[in-house]
Amino acid sequence: MATQDSPASGLAFEQPIYDLEVRIRELEQAGNKSAQTEDQLRSLRRELAEVTRKVYSELSPWEMVQVARHKDRPYTRDYLNLAFEEFVELYGDRRFGDDRAILTGFAKLDQYKVMVVGHQKGRTYKERSACYFGCAHPEGYRKALLKMRMAAKYKLPVICFIDTPGAYPGVGAEERGQSQAIAENMYEMSRLDTPIICVVIGEGGSGGALGIGVGDRVAILEHAYYSVISPEGCAGILWKSGAHAEKAAEALRFTSKDLLEFGIVDTVLEEPLGGAHRDHHRMAARLKMFLIKTLRELAQKPSAELLEGRYQKFRQIGVFLETPVV
Amino acid sequence: MASSEQLASDATPVTETVGAPNLASPSQAPMSEGSNSKRRPKRGVPEGLWLRCPGCAAVIFRNESEKRLNTCPECDHHFYVSASQRIQQVLDEGTFEEWDAHLMPTDPLHFKDQKAYAERLVAEQQRTGLSDAAITGGGMIRARRVAIGVTDSAFIMGSMGSVVGERLVRLIERATTEHLPLIIISGSGGGARMHEGILSLMQMAKVSAALARYDSAGGLFISVLTNPTMGGVAASFASLGDVIFAEPKALIGFAGPRTIKATIRIELPKGFQTSEFLVEHGFVDRIVPRAKLKSEIARTIDYCGW
């Protein structure tokens, strides 16, 4: 048990947390514990909670991005397993193929029957390459729209989980109309006649996120981010080097707190102490509670009111000066 | 794991063009003084009287090109035109009435890269004479009343921030209530404007939602794509026309060619992301040379019974 190991998470700022965790594990594993060891363990655990709280309350935007991209962070598939009673996957866009970067299907959440649409990043190398690390192609967006339309036909609410670095930049994606696919999704989602709840669970990567991001309620997890461009991309253009990503992350104002302030999201879902990657179950339970509460609320709205509310929600976004016309 | 992280971060700049301008731009167009400055000055010839066409490398008279609506007399290469020139070219003379000119950009994020956004805005306004990257208003095309919006790629790459989004939405809403055909001519290499962060991204949804309402009300939207139309502009209103025209050889796409090249590490096919490429793949209805744009728009309006 070498304490000089870097944290398993690979996050440098988690070092103090990791060091304590290692010490606790060593003590726990030691045989026949004395009363003194028990005391020591109790105080270490208290210290761990405090240190974790401190580290996570002081995350910089760039550190937040690292948390949002964490390899152990729960993905759509994890929430489907933990928060939903059933998931019946529906494949394919019936035009070109089945994009593994977006999962779609019927799901049961408590007593609600819903349609789930969510980015999936994949955990193993094989999964990750199959879904291009959660970067969808046009067929992914078209699959999402096809299933959402079906949901509207049968009055199933739609739940979208957003977690993507961005839509895939490639030759095939351009040939098959990446722009058109994303544009059409926003266009149709804005008038889709069924409740839509969108939750940014990890990375909200620009147009690739917004392609399944137009809804009646938009929520974000505490340490997730939602941005017009990745910090690396922004730094590459404005600072002429991706190495300035940290500065770009500060400048872009994309943390959950900023988004709430700008009126982009309605709700920030608090993550378990030390981030969602530390406690999938607790995060899933909180998400489930939020979804059920919101579904109940939206189900009561007549469709005209729902659609008007959705239109106005996006209509009012933007900051500009309006000088009186003389 | 290292390799997966590597790939993930390679994939990240995807979004680059949504906010991001690494593309052919007005500064590359022959109209700019800069492109001539490196060449040996010719004695007795006034600055800017000649230009070299980037399409065929012919040296041509600026006057001659201007007479042909800023195209090359030798090879028909389409040069940059400003939003106001564009309006002159497309609308009947003297019929344009600008709407919402009083909306002015501001700096909600207090964004600062190597230059503060607030300063950048002032500099761009002085350089281009525009208040932001879009002009909107009403006018006539061959005596048919239309609502028209034009984005100008000279102003921060024609990128869409709050003012561009708001002007376009007000244009679309007015076209809806006044039952007018809607024309939007896009020239935007920058997509959604990074300097206004998430607010810019959300303009994509806002404009698309307004277009959906216009569509539900039976509106006719003609989208005209010019060089360049990329990122968040391509991925919102530009792709949502009932009819989509493109000028010849314009660069049109989602991700910038450099981003794609950096991600997939292969040579891009010839003619990739041009108007002709989009026609071939089924995403543009017609390529319309600039000289025919006005009559083609008028004809489309007639066909749709407006």
Side-chain angles (χ1 to χ4, degrees):
Chain A
M1 299 269 169
T3 40
Q4 64 266 40
D5 275 1
S6 61
S9 62
L11 305 177
F13 59 85
E14 285 203 342
Q15 191 67 52
I17 301 173
Y18 179 72
D19 290 344
L20 280 168
E21 281 173 345
V22 170
R23 278 172 66 195
I24 291 171
R25 209 176 314 130
E26 279 170 355
L27 282 177
E28 280 171 347
Q29 280 163 0
N32 52 8
K33 293 178 195 104
S34 63
Q36 200 187 352
T37 322
E38 291 290 354
D39 280 351
Q40 205 183 347
L41 260 175
R42 254 195 301 280
S43 95
L44 276 175
R45 285 197 190 107
R46 221 176 3 249
E47 198 187 335
L48 175 65
E50 266 164 42
V51 167
T52 310
R53 192 167 292 118
K54 183 161 183 318
V55 166
Y56 270 78
S57 64
E58 291 168 355
L59 289 185
S60 73
W62 178 239
E63 287 166 343
M64 206 93 81
V65 171
Q66 311 309 310
V67 177
R69 291 177 182 168
H70 196 287
K71 63 180 170 48
D72 295 333
R73 197 172 169 85
Y75 297 145
T76 294
R77 181 77 77 184
D78 300 306
Y79 292 121
L80 284 168
N81 288 336
L82 297 172
F84 291 79
E85 276 74 50
E86 181 177 62
F87 176 57
V88 185
E89 187 164 0
L90 300 170
Y91 300 83
D93 72 341
R94 297 199 199 154
R95 283 161 180 77
F96 181 80
D98 180 57
D99 189 339
R100 301 311 297 147
I102 294 185
L103 301 177
T104 56
F106 297 123
K108 237 178 242 164
L109 182 74
D110 209 29
Q111 84 270 30
Y112 291 98
K113 292 174 193 156
V114 299
M115 178 68 73
V116 169
V117 172
H119 290 111
Q120 178 64 21
K121 284 180 165 176
R123 204 144 260 133
T124 64
Y125 182 76
K126 202 175 151 199
E127 282 169 0
R128 286 184 167 236
S129 10
C131 69
Y132 297 91
F133 301 83
C135 298
H137 282 71
E139 47 274 22
Y141 295 102
R142 294 195 178 112
K143 167 166 88 169
L145 184 56
L146 186 74
K147 311 310 176 196
M148 288 192 279
R149 279 184 163 145
M150 201 246 287
K153 184 175 173 188
Y154 300 106
K155 296 287 164 213
L156 298 173
V158 174
I159 295 173
C160 297
F161 293 130
I162 295 166
D163 190 12
T164 180
Y168 191 74
V171 173
E174 297 289 327
E175 285 174 343
R176 300 195 288 280
Q178 190 71 285
S179 300
Q180 189 273 340
I182 291 172
E184 190 176 8
N185 275 27
M186 294 184 294
Y187 188 71
E188 295 302 343
M189 287 178 86
S190 75
R191 59 180 172 183
L192 194 80
D193 192 4
T194 194
I196 305 176
I197 306 171
C198 305
V199 186
V200 184
I201 57 172
E203 292 190 85
S206 196
L210 195 52
I212 56 166
V214 177
D216 304 295
R217 294 286 182 278
V218 180
I220 187 166
L221 268 50
E222 189 183 355
H223 303 309
Y225 79 102
Y226 196 177
S227 179
V228 65
I229 183 168
S230 70
E232 291 91 337
C234 179
I237 294 157
L238 295 180
W239 281 268
K240 312 290 175 216
S241 157
H244 294 279
E246 197 168 346
K247 278 187 227 163
E250 298 276 346
L252 284 164
R253 307 279 309 274
F254 54 43
T255 66
S256 57
K257 203 166 144 252
D258 294 323
L259 296 166
L260 192 65
E261 192 186 312
F262 287 129
I264 307 298
V265 300
D266 308 288
T267 308
V268 174
L269 295 170
E270 199 190 326
E271 294 191 20
L273 186 59
H277 58 282
R278 284 213 156 64
D279 195 340
H280 289 200
H281 285 270
R282 186 165 298 181
M283 191 67 245
R286 281 185 194 165
L287 180 65
K288 183 173 187 169
M289 235 160 61
F290 162 77
L291 290 173
I292 291 170
K293 184 176 128 267
T294 311
L295 282 171
R296 195 178 301 133
E297 194 184 305
L298 294 176
Q300 290 163 354
K301 293 194 185 230
S303 113
E305 190 188 317
L306 189 76
L307 294 178
E308 178 62 19
R310 191 183 307 160
Y311 184 78
Q312 292 305 336
K313 175 180 170 54
F314 287 87
R315 176 68 187 85
Q316 50 82 26
I317 299 177
V319 178
F320 47 85
L321 303 173
E322 190 158 14
T323 49
V325 191
V326 194
Chain B
M1 262 317 124
S3 65
S4 68
E5 293 308 320
Q6 183 60 35
L7 223 155
S9 62
D10 284 347
T12 317
V14 183
T15 41
E16 181 168 312
T17 37
V18 171
N22 48 8
L23 305 160
S25 69
S27 62
Q28 241 181 45
M31 316 312 287
S32 78
E33 306 301 325
S35 61
N36 286 338
S37 62
K38 279 186 198 128
R39 303 199 339 253
R40 178 174 56 89
K42 289 188 174 64
R43 258 168 301 165
V45 181
E47 184 69 25
L49 187 60
W50 299 91
L51 358 131
R52 187 181 288 274
C53 170
C56 63
V59 177
I60 54 176
F61 266 122
R62 179 185 291 268
N63 255 351
E64 191 60 29
S65 144
E66 276 169 10
K67 261 187 259 166
R68 300 170 49 100
L69 309 177
N70 295 0
T71 59
C72 172
E74 301 292 325
C75 72
D76 198 39
H77 184 88
H78 284 44
F79 302 143
Y80 160 78
V81 289
S82 69
S84 54
Q85 277 178 303
R86 180 73 72 176
I87 285 166
Q88 275 176 24
Q89 291 177 3
V90 171
L91 292 189
D92 299 343
E93 206 182 332
T95 60
F96 182 64
E97 170 205 334
E98 189 174 353
W99 298 339
D100 302 307
H102 64 291
L103 302 182
M104 299 299 273
T106 177
D107 177 19
L109 272 57
H110 307 293
F111 192 94
K112 191 166 183 296
D113 49 274
Q114 289 168 331
K115 189 174 182 176
Y117 178 50
E119 286 168 33
R120 193 182 292 273
L121 279 174
V122 173
E124 290 286 293
Q125 285 165 343
Q126 282 169 351
R127 193 175 62 78
T128 61
L130 295 161
S131 59
D132 206 314
I135 298 181
T136 57
M140 310 281 261
I141 293 182
R142 302 249 155 104
R144 296 153 187 88
R145 193 165 153 70
V146 300
I148 186 166
V150 183
T151 64
D152 191 322
S153 59
F155 192 99
I156 317 188
M157 305 301 296
S159 57
M160 174 161 61
S162 298
V163 168
V164 172
E166 184 69 19
R167 280 191 186 149
L168 290 176
V169 167
R170 290 190 189 188
L171 174 80
I172 297 160
E173 288 180 339
R174 189 153 167 187
T176 311
T177 51
E178 295 183 14
H179 200 62
L180 296 173
L182 171 71
I183 323 294
I184 301 179
I185 305 177
S186 309
S188 297
R193 188 176 299 164
M194 287 176 284
H195 313 77
E196 293 182 28
I198 192 74
L199 296 167
S200 298
L201 186 72
M202 292 298 150
Q203 302 308 308
M204 292 166 62
K206 171 169 142 181
V207 179
S208 301
L211 284 171
R213 287 204 157 181
Y214 176 71
D215 173 64
S216 299
L220 165 63
F221 172 29
I222 301 172
S223 174
V224 182
L225 316 181
T226 73
N227 186 51
T229 299
M230 299 296 291
V233 167
S236 61
F237 60 89
S239 294
L240 292 171
D242 294 296
V243 177
I244 302 180
F245 292 151
E247 286 198 336
K249 300 198 178 89
L251 181 71
I252 304 163
F254 178 67
R258 274 189 234 165
T259 305
I260 297 175
K261 233 170 136 176
T263 309
I264 60 179
R265 298 194 177 89
I266 56 163
E267 278 306 305
L268 299 175
K270 202 164 178 291
F272 183 62
Q273 294 184 320
T274 57
S275 309
E276 293 71 17
F277 174 91
L278 268 90
V279 167
E280 190 189 323
H281 288 96
F283 292 99
V284 160
D285 290 295
R286 272 174 86 73
I287 291 180
V288 177
R290 197 169 287 165
K292 297 252 177 72
L293 185 58
K294 185 171 178 171
S295 58
E296 289 257 358
I297 291 174
R299 178 161 70 180
T300 305
I301 294 173
D302 288 347
Y303 265 103
C304 296
W306 277 56

